[in-house]
Every structure is written in structure tokens, then in C-alpha cells.
Amino acid sequence: MLTRGARRSIAGEEGSALVTVLIVMSILTIAGLTLAAIVVNTAGMVADTRSTAQSRAAADAGLAQALVLATRDKDICDDVPVESQPVVGDLGAGSTYSVARDCSVTGSAVYTSTGRGPGGAVTRTQAVYSYVPTPAVVKEPALVTRAPLNLSALKIRAVDPANPASVWVIPDTGISGDFTCNSGGAIAGSVYLPAGMVLGVGGCEVTGDVYAERDVTVGTGTKIHGKVVSLSGKVKVSGGSPIDGGVYAKGDVTLDSGAIVHGDVVSSAGSVTTTGGLTIDGSIYAKNNVVVTGASNKFVQSIYAGANLTVSGGAPIARDRIMYGGAFTYPHSGERAWAVSSVERTTLQPVVALPKLPNAPEWQGITQSDIDSLVTSGAFEKITWSGACAYAWWPEHEMVAKIRALTRPTVIDATRCSQLMMEQFSGTTAIKTDIVFVAPSFAVTDQKFSSADAKPHRMWFISPESPGRDCSKVPPISIKGTSMLPTGGKSPISAMIFTQCTANFPNGGEDWQGSVQAGTMTGQPNYWYTPVGFPGSKAPGDDTTPGPGAAATLGTLVSRYDVTP
């Protein structure tokens, strides 16, 4: 019995051992699998960590490179607040960076650097620097007016092409600030309308930029050699009108067949529509839709549509890429056929802000008190206009000899005359000094002025400003057939006209040289622009160039933080 019982006990123990072994093997297997998973996950985490580190290193490298380029090229913030072309680089082994710059907030330069690692990790860091722009130097305009300009032919040429003319329409409250240029008008410079709109009709030419607060219409045959900017309105360019710069608008941009744009076409808050064969050397950027009808093959560099894109014509239409955020509608071929490099649906697109309006000149408002202070300060002497208020053919007016004899800066007071009429004198008035003529109005007809000593001299024809003045009762300042010798923009004599009322150039035959500041401009102005300066100021060129330390500077780092890619 004992023997048999012992055998049964041993058999039971053998079964228990087997179960134990199976349990231990299961535990070991699970432990092995767990360890393997831990090893795999750890390896993945190491790889992800390495990719993240590489993406951060790429973002840091990109930021450093962008700062080096900006400070080296002195291009920290140019006239386009948001840079459309980012700084890009490839660090090798799959690591790349892209850096965008944003100066739309005054006093700040924001750099956003996106780094990408070879494993797909993305790091985006944003650095905000204080920014001190180049001190603005507001040059004397060729023409400042406070009423709309609608002239059959406005021609302003520049004595020095390096110092181009500028036309500003800065209206009083409640008055239109529009500008119409047609019938052969030509401006050797730029036009700025901080409160108006532009209508360019055939034959008008502007060698610089055109800025308007409201809509801009560029008619057939109009030539703009700079940018066209509508700060809050729309832009329409008719066929056959070349624009050497870009077209920028807050609202919609419409380009008709035959239009030629040698820069970008940008609608920061609207859509862009093009019709028929035209040429765009740059790219199209639209916050909303882009509609391209009957386009020529490869007529544009790239297209960036924030919403829908509709195209027709010959594929490909883009020499580089197409990016759109909504639907892409095309009549034939595949989607990919419409751009040479790539076609992509994405909401991550370049942002291009509108250029900023340059600093506007202030209306100086020269008063009688200002003129009197020139005399009391000793900067100018003063004489009173004697004799009749009008020249006569014969005998020669007594003031001609007095003017020729002046050798020190002098104010000639003719305020007793309702209008000083310098009309009937066939000789040349040669002057030796700066002269301020003061009268309620002037009629300067067929006069010739020259420098007696071949040195530069300045004249001012001033109708002093008076609050509440009724300009309907003031005769316009008339400049007719008057020249500064030698003609053709070569005279050392220059002159400024100042009046809060009207200046009139009646026949377009003048060889006037200088600038005009008038409440209203009428007639057919045709003159040479050169800066004159205000009475008592330094001669032009003496104080218009920023001195040492006046360059734009990138200040201290204000903040830096990561943002979600």
C-alpha cells in the first residue's frame, strides 16, 4: 500500500511540475515580447528624438542665415511688409529650412523659421526683434495740391533723373482727392493719392509708382513704369497697358487682354481675374479666387489661390507651380499638366501684404507771419514794390533795375497789389541772390529769368495763406510762357509757387523750373521739376541725405517661442 500510494503521489507531482513549467515559459515569453516591444519603441523614440533635434537645428540654422542676409544686404524690412519669397536652405541628409519675414507691425521684425528633419519632424520657431527703420526723408514734391487733379495734359519732367518728381493730392476734408491723367500726360516720377482714386486714360505715362487709397483704373495705352497700388480698393488694367512693377490691391484685380505686368499681381483680400492673352513676369497671389480665361502658354510664373482656381487656355499656364486652397476647375488635360513644376492643394500659401504708402509731405501753409520772421531774423532783407502793379512796355518798370541790383536775400513786398502783373517786359531779368515775391496773386507772362553770376539762385512767388480765405475772389496765379535760362532744365534758377488758392499754367508752353504747392492746379502744366526748398531753408541737397547711423537697424531680441507647425 505504501508503495502504490507513493507512486500515485509522484505522478501527481509530475503533472504539477508540467503546469509550473508552462506557466514559467509563458511568463518568460511575455517578458521577452515586452522587452522586444520596449526595445522597438525605444529605438523609434530615439529615431523621433533624433529627427526632432535635426528639425530644431535646421530651424535655428535658417533663422541665423536669414538674420545674416538681412543685416548684410541692409534689407531688414523693405517696402513690402510681408516677404513673399522666404529664405530657404538645405543642410544635407534630408534637413531643410524655410524662413519668412513679417514687418507689418510697426517697430517689429518677426522671423518665422520652419525646420524639417529627415524623419519628417517639423519645428517652427518664431523670433521677434525690435526694428528701427531708416529715418524717412520726405523730399519736396514737384506738385502738391489739395483738390482733385483732372488735367488734359500734365507734363512734369525731372531736371535730375536721380531725383524724380512726385505728385501728391492731399485734399481738405470732404473734398475728392482723385487724379485723372490723359491726353499725353507724362510725369517723370510717382503719383500718390492718400485719399483718392486714379483714372489713367490713353497716352498717360508715369515713370514711377502710382499709389491710391481707392480704385485704380489704368486705361488702354497708359504706361506705368513702377508699381500700381490700391490701398483699400480695386485695380483694373486694360489691354495694351504695360506696368513695369507689380499690381497690388486690397480688393479685386482685373487684367484685360493685352495687359503686360513685369512684376507680381496681388489681391490681399480679394480675387484676381485675367482675360485673354496677356503677360505676367511675376506670380499671381489672391486671398480668394483666381480666374484665368484664355491664357497663353506659360504666361505666369506661379499661381497662389487661397480659395478656388478656374483656368482655361493652353496648358501649362504656370512656368513654375500652382497652389490652391479650394476647388481647381480646368477644361482639359490632367490637373498636373497646368504647371511645369507642381500643382498642389494646400492652405499653407505665401502671404503678400500691400506695399506701404510713403510718408506724405505736410502742407506748409506759408503765412505772412512766416515771411515777416524771415526779415526779423536777419535771413532776408525787405523792400516794398514801388510803382505800378503791372509792367509796361515802355518805359522799363523801375522795379526791374532794383531786382537786378539785389545782392542779398530779399523779400519784395507787393501785398498792396491785388495781383502783381509781371507781363510786359521783353528783356531778361538776371538775378544775383534769392528773392521772395509776396502778393495776393501773380500773373507772370513771357518772362525770362537767368543767373547774373552763373550761381544757383532761388525765387518764391508766395500768396500768403490766410484761414477762411475765399479763393473764388482771388485771381489765379498765372504762369504763361515763362522760362528759366538756359532752358531745358539746365538753368541755375529755380522757383516755387505757393498759394492756398489756384495756380494756372494756361498753354503748356512754359519752361518753368522748380515746384508748385497750390490748393488747385489748372490749365496744361508743363515744367521742369527741381527741389527749391522753403524760404530760409538750406539749399536742396544740403540736408536730404541721411547721415551716419541713419540706416535701418535690427534691435534686440524681444521674444522667441515655438509655434505649432
Side-chain angles (χ1 to χ4, degrees), residues 76-230:
I76 300 168
C77 293
D78 54 22
D79 60 346
V80 179
V82 180
E83 182 59 65
S84 61
Q85 300 297 327
V87 175
V88 297
D90 190 339
L91 301 177
S95 294
T96 62
Y97 62 78
S98 175
V99 187
R101 184 268 296 153
D102 185 346
C103 293
S104 57
V105 178
T106 303
S108 296
V110 181
Y111 290 86
T112 302
S113 181
T114 302
R116 301 181 186 277
V122 178
T123 297
R124 181 168 294 164
T125 185
Q126 193 169 86
V128 180
Y129 287 85
S130 61
Y131 169 63
V132 180
T134 303
V137 177
V138 180
K139 294 184 178 180
E140 179 184 325
L143 171 61
V144 178
T145 181
R146 295 159 68 177
L149 276 176
N150 187 353
L151 304 175
S152 58
L154 171 62
K155 294 183 179 179
I156 303 178
R157 295 158 290 182
V159 170
D160 180 4
N163 190 13
S166 63
V167 173
W168 286 84
V169 180
I170 308 176
D172 292 332
T173 302
I175 299 177
S176 167
D178 298 344
F179 173 61
T180 301
C181 179
N182 55 32
S183 303
I187 299 171
S190 299
V191 176
Y192 303 105
L193 311 178
M197 63 184 293
V198 174
L199 176 64
V201 185
C204 181
E205 182 173 7
V206 178
T207 64
D209 300 327
V210 173
Y211 279 71
E213 178 63 33
R214 298 188 288 123
D215 296 349
V216 177
T217 300
V218 181
T220 301
T222 298
K223 299 178 181 179
I224 310 295
H225 297 285
K227 298 186 291 290
V228 172
V229 181
S230 173

Side-chain angles (χ1 to χ4, degrees), residues 2 208 254 260 335 343 372 420:
L2 290 174
T254 302
I260 302 171
E335 175 182 289
V343 176
D372 292 341
L420 184 59

Side-chain angles (χ1 to χ4, degrees), residues 222-363:
T222 298
K223 299 178 181 179
I224 310 295
H225 297 285
K227 298 186 291 290
V228 172
V229 181
S230 173
L231 298 170
S232 64
K234 300 178 291 185
V235 172
K236 181 176 181 180
V237 181
S238 298
S241 300
I243 298 173
D244 291 344
V247 175
Y248 302 84
K250 183 175 182 179
D252 296 340
V253 176
T254 302
L255 305 178
D256 289 344
S257 178
I260 302 171
V261 180
H262 295 296
D264 293 330
V265 176
V266 178
S267 173
S268 66
S271 300
V272 173
T273 301
T274 72
T275 304
L278 49 85
T279 299
I280 300 176
D281 289 347
S283 298
I284 295 175
Y285 302 84
K287 177 70 172 180
N288 295 327
N289 303 321
V290 174
V291 178
V292 177
T293 304
S296 305
N297 184 262
K298 300 179 183 179
F299 87 104
V300 68
Q301 181 66 16
S302 297
I303 298 177
Y304 303 94
N308 300 327
L309 172 61
T310 302
V311 302
S312 68
I317 59 174
R319 298 184 295 273
D320 187 10
R321 67 183 62 187
I322 289 176
M323 300 174 70
Y324 63 96
F328 184 13
T329 303
Y330 46 90
H332 59 79
S333 306
E335 175 182 289
R336 179 63 184 80
W338 291 89
V340 172
S341 297
S342 63
V343 176
E344 179 184 3
R345 181 180 180 184
T346 176
T347 57
L348 298 176
Q349 299 189 21
V351 177
V352 181
L354 299 182
K356 295 181 180 179
L357 180 72
N359 291 314
E362 294 183 3
W363 181 263

Side-chain angles (χ1 to χ4, degrees), residues 383-392 397 399-400 403 411-424 435-445 447 449 460-463 469 474-479 482:
I383 64 173
T384 300
W385 185 274
S386 60
C389 293
Y391 279 178
H397 197 288
M399 285 301 300
V400 174
I403 293 170
V411 172
I412 299 179
D413 184 359
T415 53
R416 68 178 179 82
C417 304
S418 60
Q419 185 176 41
L420 184 59
M421 304 180 71
M422 304 170 71
E423 296 182 317
Q424 297 184 13
I435 302 174
V436 178
F437 295 92
V438 184
S441 183
F442 301 88
V444 185
T445 303
Q447 298 300 295
F449 296 97
W460 294 268
F461 293 82
I462 296 176
S463 174
R469 190 178 191 184
V474 180
I477 293 181
S478 178
I479 307 295
T482 295

Side-chain angles (χ1 to χ4, degrees), residues 510-544:
E510 292 75 32
D511 220 314
W512 184 270
Q513 184 172 296
S515 64
V516 179
Q517 300 208 16
T520 302
M521 172 70 93
T522 60
Q524 302 179 54
N526 179 7
Y527 62 94
W528 290 89
Y529 163 69
T530 190
V532 180
F534 287 92
S537 67
K538 294 182 180 180
D542 288 353
D543 57 358
T544 58

